[in-house]
Amino acid sequence: SQQGEEDPQALSIQEGENATMNCSYKTSINNLQWYRQNSGRGLVHLILIRSNEREKHSGRLRVTLDTSKKSSSLLITASRAADTASYFCATDADQTGANNLFFGTGTRLTVIP
Amino acid sequence: NAGVTQTPKFRVLKTGQSMTLLCAQDMNHEYMYWYRQDPGMGLRLIHYSVGEGTTAKGEVPDGYNVSRLKKQNFLLGLESAAPSQTSVYFCASSAPGQGKETQYFGPGTRLLVL
């Protein structure tokens, strides 16, 4: 399976603190994406980083990518209670052009008000 | 603009029964996908389609069939449901081309097979 793994599986922090989640994957990739899933809902795209990029920012999100280590991290700064959700990394290693993604196992983030 | 919608939201089946899950998108996307999500497993790709009339197998296709007769619809069929197919099913869509790799997800269908 090409499915990635995320670490930690669960993370609990106080509001205002930063949250860092890590993702490791197995194959060469075109890009890596992070998605968020609120309980009982579908996934929502957060940010995409391409294989030739090392860092990307979007609002309170910062993503890094190390292709030599086949790993990525997602940092959420100044967390809010509304950030409570599961976060998934997804790798696009598809050579057919179909944008197929392989998802990690997810990190469950709880932000305590 | 509803995005990606899925019907039904929840279904209970008995082993051996059949059913069809419907996914519809109004974003004129070429690509559509069906995933299943099981506890601790993340999402796994069942089947996908890169255009009307075309389908292909994903990571876990066994026990499922799909059809894409119209660009906006992607159907997932279970011919003879098994308890191992108890899961939450998500449909997604995206557009071809660099800069358009984001997938847009539906709200999911929760399926329980007894």
Side-chain angles (χ1 to χ4, degrees):
Chain A
S1 170
Q2 298 183 45
Q3 192 173 47
E5 291 200 3
E6 295 185 56
D7 161 57
Q9 289 187 344
L11 180 61
S12 185
I13 60 174
Q14 294 289 329
E15 199 166 31
E17 293 181 338
N18 295 342
T20 299
M21 293 159 251
N22 303 296
C23 168
S24 61
Y25 57 92
K26 299 178 181 178
T27 66
S28 297
I29 60 172
N30 303 316
N31 64 70
L32 184 145
Q33 304 178 36
W34 286 88
Y35 287 79
R36 164 192 169 132
Q37 183 181 35
N38 287 82
S39 182
R41 310 291 280 274
L43 280 71
V44 175
H45 180 262
L46 294 176
I47 193 166
L48 178 153
I49 186 165
R50 301 194 184 283
S51 60
N52 61 353
E53 298 176 312
R54 292 296 168 259
E55 187 171 314
K56 203 162 183 180
H57 297 254
S58 176
R60 293 185 295 114
L61 305 179
R62 172 179 169 252
V63 172
T64 62
L65 179 65
D66 186 334
T67 53
S68 66
K69 295 182 179 178
K70 291 186 170 60
S71 67
S72 174
S73 67
L74 172 68
L75 168 67
I76 304 174
T77 61
S79 64
R80 305 166 182 169
D83 294 329
T84 294
S86 291
Y87 292 81
F88 294 89
C89 69
T91 53
D92 178 356
D94 189 78
Q95 300 303 311
T96 68
N99 299 346
N100 286 339
L101 296 176
F102 289 91
F103 283 82
T105 50
T107 293
R108 187 168 192 83
L109 173 66
T110 301
V111 181
I112 302 166
Chain B
N1 194 341
V4 180
T5 58
Q6 293 182 232
T7 53
K9 288 185 170 53
F10 177 69
R11 184 76 182 269
V12 179
L13 288 180
K14 294 181 179 178
T15 297
Q17 287 185 320
S18 64
M19 79 163 293
T20 300
L21 283 68
L22 171 63
C23 175
Q25 53 95 3
D26 61 4
M27 295 174 283
N28 202 34
H29 284 166
E30 289 291 333
Y31 299 166
M32 296 187 75
Y33 316 84
W34 275 108
Y35 295 90
R36 61 178 288 172
Q37 183 177 33
D38 302 297
M41 295 290 290
L43 275 75
R44 291 181 292 169
L45 183 65
I46 305 171
H47 285 280
Y48 65 97
S49 168
V50 297
E52 183 178 319
T54 71
T55 64
K57 295 179 180 180
E59 187 182 3
V60 289
D62 294 343
Y64 305 95
N65 57 76
V66 288
S67 64
R68 183 100 181 266
L69 299 179
K70 294 183 179 180
K71 185 177 182 179
Q72 62 268 34
N73 296 337
F74 196 27
L75 278 64
L76 178 71
L78 286 73
E79 291 184 348
S80 179
S84 60
Q85 293 178 304
T86 293
S87 189
V88 182
Y89 292 86
F90 288 98
C91 176
S93 69
S94 74
Q98 194 172 49
K100 301 178 181 178
E101 299 95 332
T102 298
Q103 291 192 13
Y104 296 84
F105 283 81
T109 293
R110 190 173 296 272
L111 176 64
L112 175 61
V113 183
L114 301 174

